[in-house]
Each structure stands twice: as C-alpha cells, then as structure tokens.
Amino acid sequence: MKNIYLKAVAVIFSAALVFTSCTKLNGHEWVDLGLSVRWATCNVGASVPLEYGDYYAWGEIETKMEYTEENSVTYGVELDDISGNPQYDVATANWGEGWRMPTKEEYRELLHECDWEWTSLDGMLGCKVTGPNGNSIFLPAAGDRYESSLSGVGEGGGYWSSTPYESGAQGAYALGFDSDGCYVGFDGCCRGGSVRPVLDK
C-alpha cells in the first residue's frame, strides 16, 4: 500500500500549539479537527498527549505480559466491526459510553484530509496531524508489542482501527506511520498496538 509522504522536520512545538480548542467527556479531552468525528488528545492508557499509553491486542480490553497468537482472544474468530462494543472495544470499555475505536474509514479520512508532519513534542517523536480547520492532535511513535518485546519506539506508530480484515480472521486494519510516511493497512490481531479513541458528532 502506497505511503503518504510525511514532511520530516526537526522542530519542537508546545502542547498549547497542538490543541487549539478541546473539551472533555468522562474526563478525557477531545479535539474537533473538522472531520466526521472528534478525536481524543491521548491514547488509551495515557494521561497526556506525549505519553505512549498502553498496548492492546485487537479486540481485547486489558493489557498483558505477552502478545501471541495462542493467548489472543480474537485470533481466528470471525467478528464484525467492533467499534462501540464494550466486550471488544477498549476505548468504550475503559473510557465509557460515547468513546469508541475509530473505523478503518475514519482513519482513512484522518490520513487523506489532514496534514501530517513527523516531528517532536517535548522530545517525543511522532506525528502532528492538522485538520482542515487548523486544529491538531499528536500521535506519539509508540511502536508495538509482540510476545514479550516492545519494538519500534520512537521510530513509528501502530494504531488499531475497529475494522477486521476481510480476508480472514487473523488480523484487522491499523494506522501505521514513521518518518517516511503513513498508511492504513493490515496487522495481525495478536500484536499489541496503540488505540486513539474518537467521539461521534
């Protein structure tokens, strides 16, 4: 899948510049980027935008010590889109009603309608994503987990969507990015990835 080019820059911007206007639901802040949904300012498990947050296998609502096919709850299980289902959606289960995981199409909207910039927030590498209305969020390059290892920290990010992959029950769609580009593609559901919740308007 073709990556969207990212402009690599070596600048540091303050949190005040990232969030032009935000408010809260259930204690968690969101920003209106001028898209079809509102985007949270933090990952699940994080308290500020520059924190990586927790890592979850797709369709699981708790963290664990190892991320494998054998201990995956959803590997090999046929599921419809899990957005808003508290049994499988970690955003809904942990942040409460209203919050949910973004769908594949909502990530594609974020990808194609926003300006993406690989940069640093207080020394933390990741992507500044600026919406059509000028508001922005920061997605830290949190890497991902497989078995007991954490890899790719500071090099890229892997953010789960709620949408399962059509060609089998072994994976789901995810947003991926690094300093070279960003894309929405397939990843194995047993891997531990980040989750950035959304709210319906």
Side-chain angles (χ1 to χ4, degrees):
M1 185 173 295
K2 185 177 179 181
N3 287 2
I4 291 180
Y5 174 72
L6 287 178
K7 180 170 64 176
V9 294
V11 299
I12 297 175
F13 56 93
S14 71
L17 294 178
V18 182
F19 309 122
T20 307
S21 176
C22 60
T23 188
K24 291 183 178 182
L25 175 68
N26 301 337
H28 302 284
E29 291 185 338
W30 56 264
V31 171
D32 187 349
L33 298 177
L35 304 176
S36 63
V37 293
R38 301 178 175 106
W39 286 85
T41 62
C42 296
N43 293 345
V44 175
S47 56
V48 294
L50 57 81
E51 290 182 352
Y52 296 139
D54 293 326
Y55 301 84
Y56 297 90
W58 186 79
E60 298 187 18
I61 60 175
E62 295 181 356
T63 60
K64 49 192 178 182
M65 297 299 294
E66 287 193 318
Y67 294 78
T68 66
E69 293 177 4
E70 290 75 21
N71 70 12
S72 169
V73 171
T74 60
Y75 187 83
V77 179
E78 294 282 352
L79 291 171
D80 294 325
D81 196 293
I82 62 173
S83 188
N85 182 340
Q87 182 179 354
Y88 298 107
D89 186 329
V90 65
T92 306
N94 284 269
W95 283 18
E97 186 176 352
W99 290 107
R100 60 176 179 84
M101 295 170 68
T103 65
K104 171 188 65 175
E105 294 305 322
E106 287 160 351
Y107 266 133
R108 285 179 172 170
E109 179 186 45
L110 188 73
L111 200 63
H112 295 291
E113 298 298 326
C114 296
D115 180 53
W116 287 68
E117 183 176 80
W118 178 260
T119 187
S120 175
L121 172 61
D122 294 338
M124 189 69 69
L125 290 170
C127 280
K128 179 185 178 183
V129 184
T130 304
N133 63 6
N135 292 338
S136 302
I137 57 173
F138 180 72
L139 299 174
D144 65 2
R145 300 188 68 92
Y146 183 66
E147 296 182 342
S148 58
S149 299
L150 175 61
S151 61
V153 173
E155 298 175 359
Y159 285 69
W160 284 122
S161 83
S162 61
T163 308
Y165 194 58
E166 299 93 342
S167 301
Q170 288 78 42
Y173 284 95
L175 169 74
F177 63 83
D178 56 24
S179 60
D180 294 324
C182 45
Y183 60 93
V184 174
F186 165 86
D187 204 355
C189 61
C190 60
R191 302 186 71 88
S194 303
V195 175
R196 178 59 63 95
V198 295
L199 288 170
D200 291 316
K201 287 189 171 180

